[in-house]
Amino acid sequence: MTRARTAMVLAAGYGARMRPLTDTLPKPLVKLAGRALVDHVLDRLAAAGVETAIVNVHYLPEQVEAHMQERSGRAPKTIISDERDVLLDTGGGAKKALPQLGPGPFFIHNSDSVWAEGAAAALPHMLRQWDATRMDCLLLLAPMSTSLGYHARGDFDMAPDGHLTRRGERQVVPFAFAGVSLCEAKLFDGAPDGPFSLNLLWDQALAKGRLYGLRLDGRWMHVGTPEALAEAEASFEHEGA
């Protein structure tokens, strides 16, 4: 099975939709089932064999840095990527961290993406499916029919072989991006400087037929608002996630 020894954890955003909880607390430190959201992420990465996680900071950075200090000695090792001066968005933040991430493959993981595992643990399943000869990027996708806290029209449709297509303007598609991707540094070849979204690189991979998806075997929880957080909390209590 492919190994991913490093990961990028995107923890720099403002978490505006989670206000008022995020007025004084960065969203990655909001608690779900007694643990900070980012701890759910880091523990899952460690269980998948990730040794080092790069965590970017911008909003209330001292709190995130202090939390990483409290985790000292626990896997994975964490390295702070400082974006205090300029918030670089998902793509720019990952590009800045490429020297620490290495050639890959590596995960890029939203700090608020949580789920209850199904029969196949998601991150090891992504590693088993990874094929650099066919893929520039592999996205974890959640079926909208079983997801909590997500009420939009979906992000992608997926062919039986995993090839992805984006939702059209008036379409409803069955899958939402679940906040985790797997790629290599070459995905960023020719990427712009400064802030930019990973969507830019995904669209380039789509145009080459090299963007793939993997269905999450579990229940994704889109923890975007205080109401969605309460819904996820109830799900954790019910399912023992």
Side-chain angles (χ1 to χ4, degrees):
M1 183 175 76
T2 300
R3 286 285 308 275
R5 291 183 168 84
T6 60
M8 179 76 198
V9 178
L10 299 169
Y14 291 99
R17 294 177 62 238
M18 190 62 83
R19 290 175 178 156
L21 296 177
T22 51
D23 284 341
T24 57
L25 185 72
K27 187 178 178 183
L29 301 189
V30 170
K31 288 191 175 182
L32 171 64
R35 288 191 293 156
L37 290 171
V38 73
D39 285 338
H40 288 272
V41 171
L42 291 169
D43 292 346
R44 186 158 277 154
L45 288 169
V50 170
E51 298 166 2
T52 303
I54 317 305
V55 182
N56 64 349
V57 297
H58 176 82
Y59 177 60
L60 301 175
E62 295 83 3
Q63 293 188 43
V64 179
E65 288 176 323
H67 189 79
M68 294 306 116
Q69 284 291 330
E70 291 172 7
R71 285 187 57 95
S72 180
R74 292 171 59 185
K77 174 186 175 183
T78 58
I79 298 173
I80 295 294
S81 181
D82 195 329
E83 296 181 22
R84 282 174 172 83
D85 292 339
V86 179
L87 183 61
L88 292 172
D89 204 343
T90 54
K95 181 182 176 181
K96 182 178 189 290
L98 287 179
Q100 290 80 33
L101 290 167
F106 51 80
F107 290 107
I108 302 177
H109 203 311
N110 292 355
S111 61
D112 60 355
S113 182
V114 294
W115 60 84
E117 297 279 24
L123 300 188
H125 195 193
M126 292 180 75
L127 291 169
R128 286 192 293 270
Q129 296 300 312
W130 175 251
D131 181 356
T133 66
R134 296 184 297 124
M135 303 172 182
D136 284 346
C137 194
L138 177 65
L139 308 185
L140 184 64
L141 299 181
M144 290 176 56
S145 59
T146 59
S147 297
L148 293 178
Y150 185 84
H151 307 293
R153 294 184 294 166
D155 299 312
F156 295 98
D157 203 353
M158 182 164 55
D161 67 354
H163 265 112
L164 296 183
T165 53
R166 282 207 185 265
R167 177 180 61 80
E169 186 177 348
R170 293 180 174 83
Q171 277 185 299
V172 175
V173 290
F175 294 102
F177 174 56
V180 187
S181 61
L182 185 63
C183 66
E184 296 181 347
K186 65 181 181 181
L187 177 69
F188 293 80
D189 289 350
D193 294 327
F196 68 93
S197 170
L198 282 170
N199 280 288
L200 174 68
L201 307 184
W202 296 348
D203 284 341
Q204 293 173 356
L206 267 172
K208 295 184 287 186
R210 294 181 59 86
L211 186 69
Y212 281 76
L214 180 71
R215 179 185 178 125
L216 171 67
D217 182 18
R219 182 187 290 271
W220 179 54
M221 303 171 195
H222 182 239
V223 188
T225 64
E227 294 76 20
L229 178 66
E231 192 175 358
E233 191 83 40
S235 178
F236 262 72
E237 292 175 2
H238 177 70
E239 300 179 24

